[in-house]
Amino acid sequence: MAKARATIFFCKECGHESAKWMGQCPGCRAWNTFVEAPSQKAGISGVRAGSAGRGGSTAAGRFLAAGELRPRLLSEIETSGEVRISTGMEELDRVLGGGLVGGSLVLVGGDPGIGKSTLLLQVCRNLSGDGHRILYISGEESLSQIRLRADRLGEFSGDLFFLCETSLDLISDVIVREKPEAVVIDSIQTMYREDAGSAPGSVGQVRESTQTLLRLAKENNITIFIVGHVTKEGTMAGPRMLEHMVDTVLYFEGERNVPYRILRGVKNRFGSTNEIGVFEMRGNGLSEVANPSEYMLSGKPEGASGSVTACSMEGTRPVLLEIQALVCRTNFGMPRRTAAGTDYNRVNLLLAVLEKRAGMHFSDCDVYVNIAGGIRVNEPSLDLGIVMALASSHRDVPVDDQMMVFGEVGLSGEVRAVNMAEKRVQEAAKLGFTTCILPDVCLSRIPAPPQGIRLIGVKNVREAMDLIGR
Ligand code: TYD
Ligand code: MG
């Protein structure tokens, strides 16, 4: 059969395939994300044509193949006792579900410059220090650049090898020959396969390259980390379209000018995706933040109006954080409203609730809301904290520094239940808070509150307002 190279279109966001170009992707509903790529099926259809030839027709061929294959019963399947290898970083191990699994493909995505290479170099350092054989392949930096970064991170030991290469055909040979236990590919957007035709970083290349790595990982039982840059615009294919091919997807998030970084699991075939790892970027690499609450609250002003401690859940982990609100008189024109680190529309909604249900007037006031520490939280449990911070600043009366607040606020001004109330209270007690204001309905879920903390249940925002300045 002639190897006609058909073209096919892919969505560069979600990988949706189509025979023709489309303005909007039916998969992820994004606009203008379709790009042209040579069909990956050219090779596969060749194989299919062969088997169809044997069977006479495609349908018969499929039947014949099905006759050769034997489906198994669940009880016939043997499980290999899963061995986990620690990466030497507790925060990362937790996100991975308890350490690395042999033969797995892990995608680490994130904005350029966020610290992906640094994180993985530190992982390699820990693994080689523990006696594992590791190969770090960079298509972005020269060996001397890697050396410069490594020098910042400290001592290296053991079998950690470096290679600067972008041809996956050559890389495959090296991996098969050197037999490392773990490999880092930094980054997938620089890798290419000769036979794929298009330029490195294009949708077709990225898919083909990942396919090659997937096969290498499974056949040789090697854990492979793939670095993928997230690109908002441009021709490079984003890591999102690889998500379905790999076993684990981790995103490294944070603002570039704030040292706080969150590693979030969004897909994990070997564990839960509810976990996050917290790191801080320092002069000598990433350091783990074992107690994010303490970190987020460091620097909180004492006795300042408009500052309230609230609690968000990052996976199954409670993180205390500081909500700041500043309400001041508008000097001229339209009142300004800004929300940094949280949802702007939610803040407007809460302002409207305060106007209508608690009789506070903001129409001639500028309102600024900020979550300190440069993190983003869009959790309804922050509502009550935002409302109290707004009211505290509006009245210019500080709230008790030893008080933590959580609860969702509804349009009638009612304070509604939130999940994991007990965990949040425990975290507040652990950090020495003496009072916790929470939805009244949550009180019954905490039969035995921790020592030293007083729980005050509120039913609506009016009741919460009465607690300010007491
Ligand atoms: P990098 O790991 O190169 O990011 P990525 O691979 O995601 O593109 O991280 C780059 C940034 O991290 C760079 O701005 C410098 C900073 N950095 C530190 O602050 N401390 C360090 O020890 C290292 C190695 C980097
Ligand atoms: Mg990098």
Side-chain angles (χ1 to χ4, degrees), residues 12 16 28-29 58 65 115 278-279 387 397 416 419 444 462:
K12 63 182 178 191
H16 190 95
C28 64
R29 307 246 150 245
T58 321
V278 183
F279 297 87
V387 161
V397 176
R416 309 171 69 105
N419 61 356
S444 60
R462 266 182 186 281

Side-chain angles (χ1 to χ4, degrees), residues 29 75 97 182 233 284 348 390 424:
R29 307 246 150 245
S75 55
E233 293 288 326
N284 58 349
N348 278 331
L390 288 168
R424 299 178 201 249

Side-chain angles (χ1 to χ4, degrees), residues 68-350:
E68 292 161 0
L69 289 172
R70 191 173 72 84
R72 303 282 181 95
L73 286 171
L74 202 54
S75 55
E76 289 178 302
I77 303 171
E78 285 176 20
T79 53
S80 54
E82 187 184 271
V83 184
R84 299 267 184 172
I85 301 171
S86 170
T87 60
M89 286 182 167
E90 230 175 86
E91 295 292 305
L92 176 58
D93 282 351
R94 195 179 44 247
V95 180
L96 288 168
L100 282 177
V101 178
S104 63
L105 205 56
V106 182
L107 175 66
V108 179
D111 291 331
I114 205 75
K116 300 178 293 296
S117 305
T118 307
L119 177 75
L120 290 174
L121 191 56
Q122 283 181 250
V123 169
C124 291
R125 170 172 171 249
N126 294 346
L127 288 172
S128 69
D130 281 347
H132 299 285
R133 198 174 159 81
I134 313 293
L135 179 59
Y136 185 106
I137 300 167
S138 179
E140 299 197 334
E141 290 161 312
S142 66
L143 286 173
S144 58
Q145 279 173 311
I146 296 174
R147 175 72 205 252
L148 282 178
R149 174 180 289 120
D151 284 345
R152 296 175 74 169
L153 303 180
E155 294 290 313
F156 280 69
S157 61
D159 289 345
L160 172 54
F161 300 92
F162 294 92
L163 180 69
C164 292
E165 184 51 63
T166 53
S167 158
L168 263 178
D169 307 275
L170 297 177
I171 289 173
S172 301
D173 293 344
V174 174
I175 291 178
V176 171
R177 194 179 67 227
E178 295 286 332
K179 298 192 175 36
E181 289 166 71
V183 175
V184 172
I185 301 287
D186 188 2
S187 64
I188 192 68
Q189 279 109 348
T190 56
M191 298 295 150
Y192 75 97
R193 252 176 53 180
E194 294 281 353
D195 56 350
S198 47
S202 66
V203 175
Q205 277 289 3
V206 167
R207 277 169 60 116
E208 300 264 317
S209 302
T210 309
Q211 205 69 52
T212 309
L213 293 168
L214 185 66
R215 217 181 42 242
L216 273 172
K218 304 293 168 197
E219 282 173 3
N220 303 288
N221 197 34
I222 298 170
T223 303
I224 302 186
F225 286 98
I226 299 178
V227 172
H229 294 295
V230 174
T231 51
K232 294 197 179 68
E233 293 288 326
T235 53
M236 284 210 290
R240 291 213 63 129
M241 55 156 276
L242 304 180
E243 285 183 359
H244 65 285
M245 297 165 88
V246 301
D247 297 308
T248 304
V249 181
L250 310 178
Y251 278 101
F252 209 31
E253 301 171 353
E255 303 287 325
R256 219 178 297 179
N257 46 2
V258 179
Y260 190 73
R261 302 271 184 276
I262 292 182
L263 188 68
R264 203 181 290 277
V266 298
K267 168 181 174 181
N268 194 350
R269 288 191 181 139
F270 309 108
S272 111
T273 51
N274 263 337
E275 296 299 343
I276 59 153
V278 183
F279 297 87
E280 184 188 356
M281 182 61 98
R282 297 210 184 143
N284 58 349
L286 289 156
S287 78
E288 300 180 64
V289 178
N291 194 334
S293 297
E294 222 164 67
Y295 181 86
M296 293 313 300
L297 292 181
S298 64
K300 182 178 180 305
E302 276 181 27
S305 68
S307 162
V308 170
T309 305
C311 182
S312 83
M313 294 301 296
E314 293 287 358
T316 55
R317 231 165 152 201
V319 178
L320 299 191
L321 40 86
E322 184 196 348
I323 299 173
Q324 300 183 326
L326 184 65
V327 179
C328 50
R329 191 162 287 282
T330 306
N331 279 329
F332 71 104
M334 284 273 287
R336 283 175 62 89
R337 305 267 187 266
T338 68
T342 190
D343 185 17
Y344 173 77
N345 292 323
R346 192 85 196 165
V347 170
N348 278 331
L349 182 150
L350 295 171

